[in-house]
């Protein structure tokens, strides 16, 4: 890279590996010539789905989040798998697996790097329309999820009150509210 702010990676090793992510330790050279270590989370891309029913209700999940020790309210989301044909396939799969809902229509709304100072995470946000229950949840072994629907206004009120704290859900909702055409 020709940018004078760029760091040069001299060495990289996986310091720790677990299901879902790795911790990578790099030896880097800073633009001023200083050599130092830099650690970051290496994880696969993810999808986040703002799922709207035909009567414009939002499909939300409540899921236990061990890292913060509480139930978290948010939007269906999950990891892009190697066998996914494309990001839309991943979004449809995660919506159905986590909620039992399927969508008539799915549109990509934005892609973000939510923690690019700590992780190489990339989140692809989608809006799904015409969502309806079509079966059972197919949860991963480490998931416990409750599904409900709410209005966008109630979800926005929850965000304003500090009850909707999941960053990827908040961003997806706000991005849709600010930039969507519908």
């Amino acid at each position: 890279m020709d940018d004078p702010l760029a760091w040069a990676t001299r060495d990289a090793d996986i310091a720790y590996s677990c299901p879902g992510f790795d911790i990578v330790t790099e030896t880097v050279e800073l633009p001023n010539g200083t050599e130092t270590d830099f650690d970051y989370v290496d994880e696969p891309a993810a999808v986040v789905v703002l799922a709207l029913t035909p009567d414009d209700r939002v499909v939300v999940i409540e899921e236990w989040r061990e890292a913060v020790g509480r139930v978290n309210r948010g939007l269906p989301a999950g990891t892009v798998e190697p066998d996914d044909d494309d990001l839309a396939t991943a979004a449809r799969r995660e919506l159905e697996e986590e909620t039992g809902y399927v969508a008539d229509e799915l549109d990509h709304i934005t892609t973000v790097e939510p923690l690019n100072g700590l992780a190489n995470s990339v989140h692809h946000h989608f809006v799904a329309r015409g969502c309806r229950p079509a079966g059972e949840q197919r949860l991963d072994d480490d998931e416990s999820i409750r599904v409900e629907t709410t209005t966008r206004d109630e979800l926005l009120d929850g965000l304003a009150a500090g009850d909707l704290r999941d960053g990827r859900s908040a961003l997806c909702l706000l991005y849709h509210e600010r930039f969507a055409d519908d």
Side-chain angles (χ1 to χ4, degrees):
M1 178 176 280
D2 293 335
D3 193 309
L5 295 177
W7 297 3
T9 303
R10 300 296 178 218
D11 191 31
D13 292 304
I14 295 175
Y16 176 79
S17 187
C18 67
F21 66 90
D22 295 330
I23 303 296
V24 175
T25 297
E26 291 184 342
T27 301
V28 296
E29 184 179 327
L30 306 180
N32 67 4
T34 302
E35 196 170 276
T36 188
D37 290 334
F38 179 76
D39 298 331
Y40 66 92
V41 176
D42 175 36
E43 66 178 351
V47 292
V48 184
V49 184
L50 175 62
L52 305 174
T53 65
D55 60 350
D56 205 35
R57 292 186 65 82
V58 181
V59 179
V60 294
I61 63 171
E62 292 182 338
E63 181 175 12
W64 180 259
R65 291 299 191 185
E66 183 64 23
V68 293
R70 65 179 166 72
V71 171
N72 182 70
R73 189 170 202 212
L75 301 176
T79 301
V80 176
E81 301 292 340
D83 60 341
D84 289 331
D85 294 333
D86 56 28
L87 295 172
T89 298
R92 287 182 183 279
R93 185 196 70 250
E94 287 298 328
L95 173 63
E96 187 172 358
E97 283 179 3
E98 290 194 353
T99 69
Y101 279 71
V102 295
D104 289 339
E105 182 183 334
L106 188 75
D107 294 307
H108 179 260
I109 56 176
T110 193
T111 296
V112 299
E113 299 170 349
L115 296 167
N116 63 18
L118 302 172
N120 65 359
S121 311
V122 176
H123 293 174
H124 304 279
H125 296 255
F126 288 83
V127 60
R129 293 180 187 83
C131 295
R132 64 195 182 291
E136 299 291 319
Q137 290 174 299
R138 293 183 319 276
L139 300 176
D140 294 338
D141 292 338
D142 62 351
E143 290 179 314
S144 53
I145 295 176
R146 182 172 40 241
V147 180
E148 62 181 42
T149 64
T150 189
T151 67
R152 281 191 270 182
D153 284 343
E154 288 170 348
L155 208 52
L156 287 165
D157 289 347
L159 180 59
D163 297 328
L164 175 64
R165 297 177 67 179
D166 178 67
R168 59 190 177 178
S169 297
L171 179 63
C172 190
L173 176 65
L174 291 172
Y175 196 95
H176 181 266
E177 290 300 307
R178 174 62 177 90
F179 299 112
D181 292 333
D182 57 10

